[in-house]
Amino acid sequence: GAGVSQTPSNKVTEKGKYVELRCDPISGHTALYWYRQSLGQGPEFLIYFQGTGAADDSGLPNDRFFAVRPEGSVSTLKIQRTERGDSAVYLCASSLTGPTGELFFGEGSRLTVL
Amino acid sequence: AQSVTQPDIHITVSEGASLELRCNYSYGATPYLFWYVQSPGQGLQLLLKYFSGDTLVQGIKGFEAEFKRSQSSFNLRKPSVHWSDAAEYFCAVGADNQGGKLIFGQGTELSVKP
């Protein structure tokens, strides 16, 4: 597709459940980012991939959060044992040149933990 | 600690009036500075960025921003606002020694009166 695609657009789950959020970046973009945006706040950095490897995962809040990008394209953000505080919009972005270039954002996956 | 402050949570301007959105940052390294816009149902879109050189940068949709190192500011301006400019605006900061991480402000919501 032309832009960054994220699925699902909405996910409602129960506390304690496991969730996967998928990001399909713009073709050819080697850099991929995950951000989390809570209501009324700006996006908060989670993790950055350059190719298949996580170049910077300093924003992951704890070990319940994990992200992979096995083939250097699609990425999956995985959240184990979800908590109500995980409720947010999870944004994915991709870039051709890395952090100094333009980030192209998807529309996000809205996660609600009941 | 690095931080970005957008002092105005919500601003209302009349169509055709000028606009200035404020952004202040606290950063130890030489910063990269960005302004993004987020419209309902759409992903964040880059308006403009500053890395070095001329401190007045031009962006898309008629926006400009000026980097003032002495004031640690990067305010966004537009001489004449259009109704379609109503959206949420985010200032963001990055740096060479921060890997892929951009730090975003909490955003300023712009409303445009007819």
Side-chain angles (χ1 to χ4, degrees):
Chain A
V4 177
S5 176
Q6 292 188 247
T7 55
S9 55
N10 275 287
K11 175 70 176 179
V12 180
T13 190
E14 294 180 342
K15 180 174 178 293
K17 299 290 187 182
Y18 170 80
V19 166
E20 288 190 353
L21 306 175
R22 175 189 166 105
C23 173
D24 198 343
I26 293 173
S27 178
H29 281 193
T30 58
L32 185 145
Y33 310 78
W34 285 99
Y35 283 81
R36 177 169 69 175
Q37 188 174 20
S38 300
L39 193 63
Q41 301 296 318
E44 176 189 19
F45 172 81
L46 296 177
I47 188 169
Y48 156 52
F49 288 90
Q50 185 63 257
T52 60
D56 183 351
D57 64 357
S58 61
L60 294 176
N62 51 60
D63 61 6
R64 296 188 298 105
F65 288 75
F66 189 70
V68 295
R69 195 186 185 200
E71 298 178 357
S73 179
V74 171
S75 176
T76 305
L77 178 66
K78 309 181 181 195
I79 310 173
Q80 298 177 321
R81 304 182 304 279
T82 52
E83 299 177 357
R84 291 192 179 89
D86 299 335
S87 297
V89 177
Y90 289 81
L91 300 172
C92 178
S94 70
S95 172
L96 190 58
T97 59
T100 58
E102 178 174 357
L103 269 61
F104 292 84
F105 282 85
E107 293 183 26
S109 293
R110 181 178 299 278
L111 174 66
T112 302
V113 182
L114 301 177
Chain B
Q2 298 93 352
S3 65
V4 178
T5 302
Q6 294 180 246
D8 304 304
I9 295 174
H10 187 209
I11 283 182
T12 300
V13 298
S14 298
E15 191 167 17
S18 64
L19 170 71
E20 182 169 31
L21 302 182
R22 295 183 291 164
C23 173
N24 293 95
Y25 66 90
S26 172
Y27 224 76
T30 300
Y32 303 142
L33 296 157
F34 306 81
W35 274 99
Y36 281 84
V37 61
Q38 187 175 41
S39 299
Q42 297 185 24
L44 285 147
Q45 181 184 21
L46 179 69
L47 286 175
L48 47 78
K49 60 185 179 183
Y50 171 79
F51 290 162
S52 63
D54 192 348
T55 56
L56 184 64
V57 293
Q58 303 296 321
I60 63 170
K61 304 185 181 185
F63 286 93
E64 66 177 28
E66 186 171 12
F67 171 56
K68 293 185 177 180
R69 185 185 298 275
S70 62
Q71 298 177 20
S72 297
S73 70
F74 189 57
N75 294 349
L76 182 71
R77 299 193 295 248
K78 186 169 185 178
S80 178
V81 169
H82 188 263
W83 64 267
S84 61
D85 293 324
E88 187 97 24
Y89 291 80
F90 293 95
C91 180
V93 177
D96 270 341
N97 64 355
Q98 291 300 309
K101 183 184 302 184
L102 290 185
I103 297 175
F104 283 80
Q106 71 175 71
T108 297
E109 183 180 359
L110 173 66
S111 297
V112 180
K113 292 190 300 186

